[in-house]
Amino acid sequence: MHIAVRRTGGFAGTTRAWHVDTEACADPAAWTDLVGGLPRDVPAPSPAVRDDFSWTITVEERSVTIPGSRLDGAWAALVSRVRDEGDPDPA
């Protein structure tokens, strides 16, 4: 399974991205469990927060965008793991 995370915005308005191919990882089942635990409902849009990040998370063909102020729970855990264990995309 291919997972990509893209962060945009913030004070400097920069974009950073990471990706991981879970089949190439030592523990693909743990990734499957993590993705399986994601809520089916994406956090509702909230009023814009100045200089907040926006996170776009793509799992296979499904993408969701979550404001940084609403990134929590299983979504935050997935983003954190992709950033920690995935490969950064070139800028």
Side-chain angles (χ1 to χ4, degrees), residues 19-64:
H19 67 274
V20 67
D21 177 3
T22 64
E23 297 305 316
C25 295
D27 59 348
W31 285 97
T32 300
D33 291 344
L34 184 58
V35 169
L38 294 173
R40 296 293 170 218
D41 297 328
V42 176
S46 60
V49 175
R50 186 179 193 117
D51 298 328
D52 195 8
F53 288 118
S54 179
W55 296 89
T56 301
I57 304 140
T58 303
V59 178
E60 294 298 337
E61 300 297 321
R62 181 175 178 239
S63 293
V64 297

